[in-house]
């Protein structure tokens, strides 16, 4: 199997974050080809389209299509942003790309900027990621020194400046329009979409934003062709994807595997379950995606389409494995707390609803649940979904509603007996 | 109010943004000021407003919205224990409890000697290395009770060096 072969291919090399190491493995060759053999911007976008690369930030929007939305011939600056705000519980891949492969991200952004005519870029990194921030800043300095960034890149008339912008602690800033507000020095509260960033983005200018892993996939696609990338995965699900496998597995970690890899194999790579344990449930794409029962999950392959068929979503590839040692009510209460804490507060259904869901989960967990609470959770959920500015609220509803549907008996036991069906909490 | 060093750092950050977008440097200015003063007092925030030429209300708005800004003094070392789901599944509650017992404070409190503030926070993006915590610029991962005790000893030792 083609493992760790694209965005994490140099992870095992000493000093893989250095430009010399990256260049030694063919790094910046794609950029050189693009600029010196003058590959046309449209040609780059059509390679990306061919590759079937889809946004690795979670929504899976086709990257080539998004790049083609950038208007041509506008006056004023066009911006290119990288979303490195990684904050969804279970998601921890972008941090590793930045720590081990910062130049792959930078090269991907430069190629993207050239393809879309952007002249300024920002990498928005969550403020807590101090180590990755320093590594990316060091890599930017190296790239400037080599003439890959700044004025007249590689002697051509293409210029692009790229900077790090540090976040300050707020999960919601990962939502692309909130991120732009934060970059403008404001509270990170999402804007209503449409207009999408390509028409009204940072400072009101045309802007494209992509996730770290999306950009880091670009150099290999340009070097080896869209067709090559597509064929690593399956139609409509091109390439490899990093899956962050966490929770109740013996070797948690980031595993970059071809799209379409059976979940069973991914679980084995992560060391499998602990001895004597049964797989209870999996959250396949980060906490904002619905839970899937253990048995159903064993039949799923890891790609957008197969996971969607199981009733969930691939999201950011954040696979949270839950075994039978833990009470589902307790797990979901913990997840609900996150969304209550992170709501930005501007939509009433989200601001009130996230707190409501947590309070009901909390009383269930503490043995004060009532028979009608399960219906209440479903009702509250259905009154939130689709009625808010951004997707945070839907993401907060998903784990609650999916778990009530999947584990109704466990919830009912909790209500009747005022304690967990499973005796242990976690571990 | 801010040292030459801090002002120079803010000027460096300012240069990243267009000339007419002074407000974009606000998050960086607040961070740099907090690093110098330990927390953001009203006086410091008003000073920053003057420095950037923006209304003070815009500075308060940002300072109260983002979780990394402290508007009150905190301990020398802020222990931020992740309690989100992947860490929870790997025993973060026990980590928090162990620290709470060792330090004699509940989450949200600061020790009497002003050395430690204990906090439970949401996901820090290191879920595969759970359970974990952040102190200052550093992440400490795959925590055990033993490694926590060693960490506390180390942080106490560093504080002695300073005194
Ligand atoms: N990586 C992480 O830490 C997190 C990831 N997520 C993921 O984020 C997803 C939601 O993200 P959103 O940005 O709200 O999704 P979205 O579907 O609104 O947008 C996805 C991307 O496609 C673009 N887009 C979509 N429709 C478009 C159109 N008609 N015209 C032009 N551009 C268009 C958007 O601008 C955006 O860049 C969730 O599915 C979740 O999995 C959520 C939380 C955290
Ligand atoms: C609440 C919320 C949080 C998000 N957090 C992130 C994030 O941390 N990183 C990320 O890349 N995308 C995040 N997204 C998705 C972005 O809005 C956007 O879809 C993504 O950055 C686009 O890049 P892509 O097309 O390369 O995936 C979040 C979305 C929502 C609704
Ligand atoms: S859904 Fe929630 S997080 Fe998103 S804009 Fe509305 S209040 Fe803010
Ligand atoms: S859940 Fe603890 S770091 Fe992500």
């Amino acid at each position: 199997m083609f493992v760790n072969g694209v965005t994490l291919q140099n992870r095992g090399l000493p000093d893989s974050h250095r430009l010399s190491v990256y260049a030694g493995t063919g790094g910046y060759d794609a950029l050189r080809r693009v600029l010196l053999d003058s590959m046309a911007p449209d040609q780059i976008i059509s390679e990306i389209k061919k590759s079937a690369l889809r946004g690795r930030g979670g929504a899976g929007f086709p990257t080539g299509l998004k790049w083609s939305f950038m208007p041509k011939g506008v006056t004023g600056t066009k911006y290119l942003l990288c979303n490195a705000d990684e904050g969804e519980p279970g998601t921890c891949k972008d941090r590793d790309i930045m720590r081990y492969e910062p130049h792959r991200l930078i090269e991907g952004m430069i190629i993207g900027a050239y393809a879309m005519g952007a002249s300024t870029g920002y990498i928005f990194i969550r403020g807590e990621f101090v180590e990755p921030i320093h590594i990316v800043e060091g890599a930017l300095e190296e790239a400037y020194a080599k003439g890959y960034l700044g004025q007249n890149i590689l002697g051509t008339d293409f210029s692009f400046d790229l900077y790090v912008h540090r976040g300050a602690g707020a999960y919601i800033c990962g939502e692309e329009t909130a991120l732009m507000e934060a970059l403008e020095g404001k509270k990170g509260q999402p804007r209503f979409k449409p207009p999408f960033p390509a028409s009204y983005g940072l400072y009101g200018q045309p802007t494209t934003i992509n996730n770290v892993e999306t950009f880091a996939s670009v150099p290999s696609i340009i070097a080896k062709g869209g067709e090559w990338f597509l064929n690593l995965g399956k139609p409509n699900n091109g390439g490899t994807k990093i899956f962050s496998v966490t929770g109740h597995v013996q070797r948690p970690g980031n595993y970059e595997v071809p799209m379409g890899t059976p979940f069973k194999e991914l679980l084995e790579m992560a060391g499998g379950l602990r001895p004597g344990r049964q797989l209870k449930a999996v959250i396949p794409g980060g906490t904002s995606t619905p839970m899937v029962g253990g048995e159903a999950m064993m039949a799923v392959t890891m790609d957008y389409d197969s996971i969607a068929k199981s009733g969930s979503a691939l999201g950011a590839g954040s696979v949270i494995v839950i075994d039978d040692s833990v009470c589902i009510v307790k797990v979901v209460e913990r997840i609900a707390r996150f969304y209550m804490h992170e709501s930005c507060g501007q939509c009433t259904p989200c601001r009130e609803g996230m707190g409501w869901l947590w309070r009901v989960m909390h009383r269930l967990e503490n043995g004060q649940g009532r028979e009608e609470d399960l219906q209440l959770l479903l009702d509250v959920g259905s009154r939130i979904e689709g009625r808010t500015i951004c997707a945070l609220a839907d993401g907060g509803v998903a784990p609650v509603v999916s778990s009530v549907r999947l584990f109704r008996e466990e919830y009912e036991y909790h209500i009747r007996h005022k304690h967990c069906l499973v005796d242990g909490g976690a571990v | 109010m801010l040292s030459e060093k801090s002002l120079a750092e803010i000027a460096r950050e300012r240069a990243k943004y267009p000339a007419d977008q002074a407000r974009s440097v606000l998050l960086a200015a607040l961070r740099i000021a907090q690093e110098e003063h330990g927390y953001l007092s009203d006086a410091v925030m008003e000073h920053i407003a003057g420095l950037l030429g923006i209304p003070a209300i815009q500075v308060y708005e940002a300072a109260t919205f983002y979780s990394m800004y402290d508007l009150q003094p905190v301990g020398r070392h802020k222990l931020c224990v992740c309690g989100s789901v992947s860490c929870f599944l790997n025993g973060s509650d026990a980590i928090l409890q162990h620290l709470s017992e060792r330090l004699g404070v509940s989450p949200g409190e600061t020790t009497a000697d002003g050395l430690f503030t204990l906090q439970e926070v949401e996901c820090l993006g290191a879920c595969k290395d759970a359970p974990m915590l952040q102190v200052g610029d550093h992440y400490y991962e795959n925590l055990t009770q033993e490694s926590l005790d060693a960490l506390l000893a180390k942080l106490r030792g560093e504080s002695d060096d300073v005194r």
Side-chain angles (χ1 to χ4, degrees):
Chain A
M1 193 193 292
F2 190 74
V3 177
N4 303 329
V6 180
T7 66
L8 290 175
Q9 58 183 283
N10 287 352
R11 180 174 52 176
L13 303 178
D15 289 328
S16 62
H17 63 285
R18 301 296 306 270
L19 195 151
S20 54
V21 175
Y22 183 58
T25 60
Y28 290 107
D29 285 357
L31 177 66
R32 234 184 246 106
R33 254 202 31 224
V34 162
L35 290 182
L36 303 180
D37 304 348
S38 27
M39 194 168 168
D42 283 346
Q43 227 179 316
I44 296 174
I45 293 178
S46 85
E47 273 318 304
I48 302 291
K49 280 186 178 161
K50 217 185 286 170
S51 76
L53 173 64
R54 295 170 61 171
R56 303 303 197 222
F61 194 84
T63 305
L65 185 60
K66 183 150 76 175
W67 287 16
S68 72
F69 293 151
M70 276 292 255
K72 293 188 177 128
V74 288
T75 50
T77 309
K78 286 192 257 178
Y79 290 98
L80 188 63
L81 306 181
C82 174
N83 191 339
D85 196 51
E86 181 159 77
E88 169 120 328
T91 313
C92 54
K93 65 195 174 66
D94 299 337
R95 174 169 175 250
D96 274 6
I97 295 176
M98 291 189 282
R99 288 198 297 175
Y100 300 116
E101 302 263 10
H103 283 288
R104 200 175 298 284
L105 160 64
I106 293 168
E107 185 181 8
M109 287 192 78
I110 304 171
I111 294 172
Y114 172 75
M116 289 175 270
S119 58
T120 303
Y122 297 98
I123 305 173
F124 187 109
I125 309 181
R126 66 178 294 176
E128 295 90 343
F129 278 177
V130 181
E131 184 201 6
I133 286 170
H134 289 315
I135 294 174
V136 171
E137 283 176 339
L140 286 174
E141 264 175 51
E142 287 184 313
Y144 267 103
K146 279 275 184 192
Y148 296 142
L149 281 171
Q151 292 299 306
N152 302 104
I153 295 174
L154 296 174
T156 64
D157 59 6
F158 170 61
S159 302
F160 178 57
D161 280 307
L162 184 55
Y163 309 99
V164 167
H165 180 98
R166 287 193 191 197
Y171 162 72
I172 190 59
C173 291
E175 196 284 332
E176 56 185 13
T177 59
L179 183 150
M180 291 171 204
E181 293 284 302
L183 242 164
E184 294 176 2
K186 303 170 186 162
K187 291 188 286 187
Q189 291 189 317
R191 302 171 182 167
F192 196 81
K193 292 191 288 195
F196 286 95
S199 18
Y200 189 93
L202 181 63
Y203 309 130
Q205 292 295 114
T207 302
T208 290
I209 176 164
N210 282 114
N211 174 257
V212 173
E213 188 185 353
T214 310
F215 281 124
S217 305
V218 168
S220 300
I221 293 173
I222 298 303
K224 300 182 178 167
E227 194 81 29
W228 167 81
F229 189 79
L230 171 65
N231 289 333
L232 290 176
K234 37 195 272 199
N236 196 33
N237 296 266
T240 53
K241 171 81 189 83
I242 301 178
F243 292 102
S244 308
V245 187
T246 69
H248 289 150
V249 290
Q250 300 207 60
R251 271 197 313 276
N254 283 324
Y255 300 90
E256 184 175 42
V257 299
M259 287 282 190
T261 299
F263 168 73
K264 227 189 250 177
E265 286 179 32
L266 182 66
L267 183 62
E268 269 166 37
M269 268 182 223
L273 299 173
R274 297 173 300 179
R277 288 294 166 201
Q278 297 288 320
L279 183 62
K280 185 164 181 171
V282 174
I283 303 177
T287 47
S288 62
T289 61
M291 221 174 242
V292 179
E295 209 171 306
M297 194 66 201
M298 289 309 264
V300 165
T301 62
M302 302 305 290
D303 54 80
Y304 294 101
D305 298 337
S306 170
I307 298 182
K309 245 183 261 154
S310 76
S312 187
L314 181 133
S318 324
V319 182
I320 304 166
V321 177
I322 301 167
D323 74 19
D324 59 352
S325 68
V326 66
C327 165
I328 225 70
V329 179
K330 205 164 175 165
V331 172
V332 174
E333 182 217 18
R334 188 56 59 104
I335 296 173
R337 187 186 75 179
F338 174 83
Y339 289 94
M340 173 177 67
H341 190 254
E342 300 299 334
S343 167
C344 86
Q346 66 176 333
C347 321
T348 309
C350 174
R351 182 185 62 242
E352 303 303 323
M354 295 299 111
W356 202 349
L357 291 178
W358 177 78
R359 285 191 300 277
V360 175
M361 287 306 305
H362 190 67
R363 76 172 180 236
L364 284 170
E365 169 56 20
N366 286 292
Q368 290 147 4
R370 310 163 195 162
E371 289 292 343
E372 59 275 20
D373 277 348
L374 298 186
Q375 194 52 44
L376 181 63
L377 287 173
L378 299 178
D379 287 347
V380 171
S382 72
R383 293 199 171 110
I384 296 170
E385 276 174 322
R387 289 180 171 78
T388 57
I389 292 176
C390 90
L392 179 138
D394 290 0
V397 169
V400 175
V401 167
S402 62
S403 67
V404 170
R405 296 220 168 100
L406 279 170
F407 296 99
R408 194 166 189 114
E409 282 168 26
E410 193 165 329
Y411 273 91
E412 284 169 350
Y413 182 97
H414 229 291
I415 293 169
R416 276 198 308 276
H417 296 84
K418 307 195 184 308
H419 63 82
C420 302
L421 176 64
V422 177
D423 55 353
V427 169
Chain B
M1 186 117 251
L2 289 173
S3 67
E4 287 300 316
K5 184 172 158 280
S6 293
L7 290 172
E9 220 180 313
I10 293 173
R12 260 201 311 280
E13 291 288 329
R14 176 69 186 84
K16 294 177 176 177
Y17 309 99
D20 58 349
Q21 299 291 347
R23 196 173 170 183
S24 275
V25 78
L26 177 57
L27 301 191
L30 289 170
R31 166 176 56 82
I32 292 162
Q34 178 165 303
E35 275 166 16
E36 182 178 337
H37 289 275
Y39 75 104
L40 297 170
S41 62
D42 288 356
V44 166
M45 288 192 276
E46 277 153 30
H47 182 75
I48 289 175
L51 202 64
L52 305 187
I54 61 176
I57 182 71
Q58 296 184 352
V59 180
Y60 302 141
E61 268 183 17
T64 50
F65 185 81
Y66 296 99
S67 68
M68 289 177 75
Y69 300 126
D70 291 310
L71 304 184
Q72 302 292 329
V74 290
R76 253 185 70 81
H77 304 289
K78 223 164 103 178
L79 307 178
C80 302
V81 180
C82 174
S84 289
V85 66
S86 301
C87 286
F88 166 75
L89 292 172
N90 284 286
S92 64
D93 283 2
I95 297 295
L96 192 65
Q97 196 188 343
H98 184 76
L99 282 174
S100 188
E101 280 164 15
R102 279 283 189 274
L103 299 173
V105 294
S106 299
E109 293 176 354
T110 300
T111 54
D113 59 6
L115 221 44
F116 297 104
T117 299
L118 182 61
Q119 255 179 2
E120 184 174 16
V121 299
E122 298 292 351
C123 181
L124 289 167
C127 329
K128 71 187 171 61
D129 306 301
M132 60 80 63
L133 63 73
Q134 176 174 34
V135 190
D137 290 353
H138 299 286
Y139 278 17
Y140 298 88
E141 300 163 340
N142 300 303
L143 297 169
T144 60
Q145 301 205 341
E146 293 71 43
S147 71
L148 279 180
D149 290 342
L151 174 62
L152 289 181
K154 187 184 101 157
L155 293 173
R156 286 208 165 92
E158 279 171 15
S159 309
D160 288 344
D161 295 349
V162 174
R163 286 195 206 115

